[in-house]
Amino acid sequence: MTRAKLTAIVLRTVDTGESDRVVTLLSRERGKVAAFARAARASRRRFGGALEPFTLVAAEVRERPGAELLGLESVSALDAFGGIRGDLARIACAAYAAELSRELVRDHEPHDDLFDLLADYLAALDAAPARPAALRAFELGALRAAGLLPRLDGCACCGEAVAPDRPVRLDPGFGGVLCASCGPRASPAAPSLAAASAAALVRLAEGGLAAAVAEPLAPPAGREARDALAAFIEHHLGHRLAARRFLDEVASVLGD
């Protein structure tokens, strides 16, 4: 049996038995891992309130040969991001970011860039209200970390530059935007993006969360960017995230 210390973000908890929990963590050291927390709902000393979703924690785990789950020995909260938890829009965005992070990567594959991105996004939500541009920047960054970032700066079909004043189609099957010439080859379901919407996504992909501060992404560009990335993500995951449905329910709160 080996033991390890992890710095991790709680992505999900599932209650099991009378007082146990299975916890999914995104750790800096080991990537996404699942751990069994025995008596987690009964032991305040070992776990306290540190197993709430999207909490940054220091965790001690044990690993037994042949066991599917790690054993979670103890957890302490490094940052609970308390500013998120009293605001429905921030909760919806954090839950979506956590679920997207969980779904995009395989177990036990470290992704430092995704870990840092999620921690930075949660810190941004903790400090200020949820903004559509920041969520789009997170989605693009998460896709980049998973090797799935759509091509936005040129046609994904022919490779030619995209006219800056022409609408484009974002086709998941081709892996990015299609120029006006290749547009007819797009899937009928591929969303359209006005030139301004496509340009905003390019800026967010290049600048990340920092660029989102200066990116208004107001309707209708915000709606186009949201719908296009949602379709792209669902194509690659093969399903719609549960947290996406919750996020859509509070979209009016976001002004998205």
Side-chain angles (χ1 to χ4, degrees):
M1 181 175 66
T2 60
R3 295 177 183 270
K5 293 184 178 181
L6 305 177
T7 301
I9 297 168
V10 179
L11 300 181
R12 181 176 67 172
T13 64
V14 177
D15 292 342
T16 182
E18 293 185 359
S19 60
D20 307 324
R21 276 183 177 160
V22 174
V23 184
T24 303
L25 304 168
L26 181 65
S27 70
R28 181 181 295 283
E29 298 81 1
R30 297 195 181 191
K32 184 178 69 173
V33 297
F36 182 73
R38 188 178 301 279
R41 287 176 281 159
S43 175
R44 299 293 298 176
R45 180 181 62 83
R46 291 168 59 214
F47 302 114
L51 293 184
E52 293 298 317
F54 38 90
T55 299
L56 179 66
V57 301
E60 183 175 354
V61 299
R62 70 180 188 280
E63 185 175 11
R64 295 178 178 176
E68 183 178 350
L69 300 175
L70 300 175
L72 194 58
E73 295 289 281
S74 64
V75 177
S76 60
L78 300 176
D79 197 331
F81 302 112
I84 295 174
R85 302 179 191 278
D87 183 293
L88 187 60
R90 298 191 210 189
I91 291 171
C93 288
Y96 173 71
E99 187 177 7
L100 181 59
S101 299
R102 190 184 81 236
E103 292 289 309
L104 280 175
V105 296
R106 292 192 289 264
D107 294 348
H108 303 287
E109 291 185 358
H111 285 274
D112 285 357
D113 45 359
L114 181 58
F115 177 89
D116 289 338
L117 175 68
L118 180 57
D120 289 346
Y121 182 58
L122 293 174
L125 284 176
D126 184 44
R131 299 183 64 248
L135 187 56
R136 302 292 84 81
F138 175 82
E139 289 174 320
L140 290 164
L143 288 168
R144 184 192 302 277
L148 296 172
L149 181 69
R151 182 170 185 183
L152 300 167
D153 59 352
C155 180
C157 181
C158 70
E160 294 296 321
V162 175
D165 58 346
R166 299 286 298 276
V168 294
R169 304 283 295 278
L170 180 57
D171 192 309
F174 282 99
V177 299
L178 301 183
C179 65
S181 297
C182 297
R185 302 180 62 181
S187 163
S192 295
L193 286 169
S197 305
L201 287 181
V202 170
R203 290 191 294 271
L204 291 172
E206 292 176 347
L209 292 175
V213 175
E215 186 64 61
L217 206 58
R223 286 192 295 269
E224 286 188 341
R226 177 196 65 197
D227 294 344
L229 284 181
F232 191 89
I233 288 167
E234 288 170 23
H235 171 85
H236 285 286
L237 294 181
H239 63 277
R240 187 175 180 82
L241 297 178
R244 176 80 247 180
R245 293 191 289 269
F246 175 45
L247 187 61
D248 289 344
E249 291 176 2
V250 298
S252 60
V253 181
L254 280 172
D256 196 358

